[in-house]
Amino acid sequence: MKRLLVLNGPNLNLLGKREPGIYGHGTLDDAVKLARETATEKGIEVDEYQSNHEGELIDAIQQAEGKYEGIIFNPAAYTHTSIGLRDAISAIEVPVVEVHISNVHQRESFRHHSMLAPVCQGQIVGFGLLGYRLAALALIESLEGRR
Ligand code: CA2
């Protein structure tokens, strides 16, 4: 059975509980469910992991090799700072799609740059939780060689 990992970075455990004006009312479970629904239709399983700790996210990326066909990754604030996460993504063969719920380009300038985008397969920004579904679809279609 093929598998995807939905990986979420710091503070995303608060989704739906704080700041609904920026991130909406949906929870992290809702986001994972959207990705899972799309994957299940194609017979693909989805696991999820959230951490507030950079090193734990690096561990999860390293451990994805050989276990997952793709990673849907919202690195949250580490997007803009983390060379460690970038190096981890570069070190694996597993394709990573970067997802942001908000349109980071409409926000503060420090959110406009991603350290990770150059080593990801692609980036989905600004579509709310739907971005998780779009990322699942993009990964699955590319795995099936339709891109
Ligand atoms: O738009 C996104 O998905 C972000 O990755 C969210 C990050 C932010 O640092 C990035 O620039 C863009 C922040 C995640 C924090 O999530 C919260 C959710 C609810 C309440 C507070 C924080």
Side-chain angles (χ1 to χ4, degrees):
M1 175 71 92
K2 288 184 176 168
R3 283 168 187 271
L4 300 179
L5 175 64
V6 178
L7 184 61
N8 284 289
N11 297 308
L12 286 165
N13 53 311
L14 299 177
L15 266 185
K17 297 166 189 154
R18 309 262 166 83
E19 301 203 55
I22 301 176
Y23 300 113
H25 290 280
T27 65
L28 201 53
D29 282 350
D30 294 331
V32 174
K33 198 172 161 198
L34 287 169
R36 188 171 278 134
E37 280 170 359
T38 293
T40 302
E41 285 170 16
K42 305 276 188 177
I44 294 173
E45 284 192 359
V46 169
D47 289 343
E48 60 172 308
Y49 181 65
Q50 186 274 332
S51 175
N52 292 326
H53 305 277
E54 188 175 12
E56 288 182 356
L57 294 166
I58 292 170
D59 289 343
I61 291 166
Q62 289 184 11
Q63 288 159 16
E65 192 83 274
K67 191 169 173 201
Y68 295 104
E69 311 291 322
I71 303 175
I72 296 162
F73 188 21
N74 186 342
Y78 290 139
T79 306
H80 317 297
T81 63
S82 180
I83 298 169
L85 284 170
R86 180 182 173 132
D87 289 347
I89 293 169
S90 291
I92 60 168
E93 296 288 326
V94 184
V96 176
V97 174
E98 182 182 327
V99 173
H100 297 289
I101 296 163
S102 63
N103 184 340
V104 285
H105 302 290
Q106 291 172 345
R107 301 181 64 192
E108 305 94 323
S109 59
F110 64 82
R111 297 187 202 274
H112 297 178
H113 183 255
S114 168
M115 299 293 290
L116 311 184
V119 294
C120 289
Q121 185 178 12
Q123 193 189 39
I124 296 171
V125 166
F127 291 100
L129 298 190
L130 177 63
Y132 288 79
R133 169 167 278 167
L134 297 174
L137 189 63
L139 274 169
I140 292 164
E141 295 265 329
S142 69
L143 286 171
E144 290 176 348
R146 294 216 197 116
R147 208 166 67 97

